[in-house]
């Protein structure tokens, strides 16, 4: 019997997508900071 892995919770599938989205967010934050001269927290008015 084959074991099917779900797509929610701490599975390899979910962790791979979490890592990919985190990398995209980090690069986006760097690009925004380079273009505006303000960090992400300053953009949101937290600093």
């Amino acid at each position: 019997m084959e074991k099917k892995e779900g797509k929610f919770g701490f599975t390899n599938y979910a962790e791979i997508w979490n890592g990919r989205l985190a990398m995209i967010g980090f690069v986006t934050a760097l690009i925004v900071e380079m273009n505006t001269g303000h960090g992400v927290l300053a953009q949101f008015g937290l600093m």
Side-chain angles (χ1 to χ4, degrees), residues 14-44:
E15 292 300 315
I16 287 171
W17 275 103
N18 185 33
R20 289 175 181 167
L21 292 174
M23 287 184 273
I24 290 170
F26 183 73
V27 169
T28 302
L30 287 176
I31 291 170
V32 167
E33 187 169 348
M34 286 181 0
N35 287 332
T36 63
H38 300 288
V40 176
L41 294 178
Q43 293 285 332
F44 290 126

